[in-house]
Amino acid sequence: MSTTTADAPTAPAVLTREDRCDRCGAQAFVRATLGGSDGTALHFCGHHFRAHELKLVAAGATILDERHRIDERA
Ligand SMILES: [Zn+2]
């Protein structure tokens, strides 16, 4: 298993303000997909992703991490 860190500051945003944390309803900045591209997508705010990150990674989730955008408020 390889760890790939997206490090392109100009990468287009995938998550939008319409994506909300499944736990608390805050704006989501991380999406974790379980079971491949047709799997279940879970959305997390930064706080809740940190709380579940180890379990998600252990479960083999595909992580889309846009926490670098947290401070980009329109
Ligand atoms: Zn949350």
Side-chain angles (χ1 to χ4, degrees):
M1 186 160 28
S2 65
T3 308
T4 305
T5 303
D7 197 19
T10 56
V14 175
L15 298 172
T16 72
R17 235 174 292 187
E18 308 305 314
D19 291 307
R20 315 307 294 192
C21 175
D22 292 335
R23 300 287 168 171
C24 70
Q27 185 173 348
F29 287 98
V30 183
R31 182 180 67 199
T33 306
L34 290 161
S37 55
D38 293 330
T40 304
L42 304 170
H43 294 85
F44 296 97
C45 65
H47 171 83
H48 282 109
F49 177 66
R50 270 198 304 279
H52 296 281
E53 179 172 7
L54 292 179
K55 266 189 277 187
L56 291 165
V57 170
T62 300
I63 308 297
L64 172 72
D65 186 348
E66 294 189 346
R67 283 178 292 174
H68 57 280
R69 296 180 53 239
I70 283 176
D71 291 329
E72 289 179 17
R73 297 193 186 279

